[in-house]
Amino acid sequence: MNVSVKQIRAFVAVASTRSFAEAATLIHLSQPALSIAIKNLEEAVGGPLLVRSTRSLALTPEGEQFLPVAQGLIQDWDGALQDLHSQFTLKRGHLSVAAMPSFAAHQLPVVLSAYRQRYPNIGIRVQDVVAEAVVDMVRSGRVELGIAFEVDAAEDLSFTPLYPEQFVAVLPPEHPLLQYDELRWPMIAAEPFLTLQAPSMVRQLILESVAEQGIELDIEFESHQLVTIIRMVVCGLGLSVVPSLCIPQIEQQGGHWRPIGSPRVGRAVGIWQRQRYPLSSAAEAMIRVLEQEIKGKTPL
Amino acid sequence: MNVSVKQIRAFVAVASTRSFAEAATLIHLSQPALSIAIKNLEEAVGGPLLVRSTRSLALTPEGEQFLPVAQGLIQDWDGALQDLHSQFTLKRGHLSVAAMPSFAAHQLPVVLSAYRQRYPNIGIRVQDVVAEAVVDMVRSGRVELGIAFEVDAAEDLSFTPLYPEQFVAVLPPEHPLLQYDELRWPMIAAEPFLTLQAPSMVRQLILESVAEQGIELDIEFESHQLVTIIRMVVCGLGLSVVPSLCIPQIEQQGGHWRPIGSPRVGRAVGIWQRQRYPLSSAAEAMIRVLEQEIKGKTPL
DNA sequence: CGATCTTACGGGATTCGTAAACATA
DNA sequence: TATGTTTACGAATCCCGTAAGATCG
């Protein structure tokens, strides 16, 4: 007993139009072909669904009862496949990404807006967490893509660099060090230092980096919030070092900045995804947008 | 974009077993055939559902999301067709019949029991109404079959006789007329007469019949209930005439009866159904059972 | 090297459309 | 007789299974 979708479609067409001829044109089939399709269907299900005389067409009680069921079946079938097709053509779908705060605050909005413009019906969920959490969320599959610094991660993840992020020093207006076009670490170490708090990878990278040079920073204050740090710098409480991504924010808050000379401190920023796990069409599209919007437009 | 049931079945099998080879045996297909089926499915829906490497098999996010949908689709599909098939094989189904009270009370129970024994899973609904209402219910489609006297009905109904019902006279014990083996109408007319009330066709048939002979009955009492009539006869309030079907009930209540000589009063009892409307398998089976259980077993 | 999936190809079944036969009002 | 359905039959298509090729661990 094997019944095809076409057969059910044929039955629904005939039952709806109450005519083989009409139904045949409706489903783009010749009358005889339709006749045989129905005949085979009836054979398969074990009894007649329609009673045809040349002048009238009626449904058997079984057919009458089956008609709405068949209609539902076809509707569900087409609906499900339509949905699936929509996902591939990006006319529908869903995407979860995680991004580290500096990226989420500065670059991501323009990326999202470009993506939304191209694929208006893809729902996007963004998680704004520290870089290490980004990697964890990708690993556990809670998000499909992550954007964060490159770190040492297990083999199960892959990293695609987007651009090399460099750190810059933040200074208050009229600070003496502003006379230099580029600062060096010893100059910075001479001043009180403000930095982000513990889970931040920015903090970690800076401390590791200066420690390699035998320089020690005089950490005066820590905060989770970049805004707070910048505000304090502007108020003259000390200096800080932040990703160049944050330059717009520094300037907006009335701060000044200078690049840091060799050794430059920085880390590649890029896309994290699971190894050997295929991406959704929506995620692949996001990677394309990211590369197009970000690559070559690196700050500094 | 045309997707077949087999293709979805194939996808579900592969996604469940996580192996083409295993799935192939599961759905009785060769590995290559399965491979092509999946390939065609993916082409039809517009993107990959599975990622295969020779050593591992994973679902794409779209495939992951589609799998439960596909499983539901297949389940609904099979379920619906199974149901339909069950109806034709009488493993399931439903039937509505109407029967006139005399038949419903005496013959129908044994018919129903025979039917139930043969087709235990067919639900039956019986309407116990007077003969004319039986015909109306068949005409309006509220029941598929009706069992009642033959009457003049429009062309839209068909009547299949089961047996000729004859009426018999009911008498109290030790009544003088019991000395005859067969009564004649004038003898009956000489006694007080008890009959069923207005909507009953039994009453109507009797009155019409005797009127033709110019005989008038002295109707002493009327009731809707046959039991009441018989009880009154037994108590000596008069005579009555009822269908021979009711003989068991007469005797059970302590009454006596005699056939009525020429002209015999009676009417064919049979099956009513709609013209040009096909019967359900369940109804056809009921007709077979009726004919087998009733034909040739006519009372008297 | 072995297990597994994919491609290639020939045979077979299914399904289609045209034309003719059939049935009913 | 006219309309509408079914049967007949040749052709195209689709689908399957065997055999050979490709790929990953």
Side-chain angles (χ1 to χ4, degrees), chain B residues 19-21 31-32 35 52 54-55:
Chain B
S19 151
F20 272 66
Q31 227 159 358
S35 183
R52 13 352 189 164
T54 53
R55 265 310 196 197

Side-chain angles (χ1 to χ4, degrees), chain B residues 144-165:
Chain B
E144 215 173 339
L145 296 178
I147 299 161
F149 291 123
E150 182 173 19
V151 293
D152 287 332
E155 281 300 301
D156 57 347
L157 298 185
S158 92
F159 176 82
T160 310
L162 277 174
Y163 64 90
E165 172 69 291

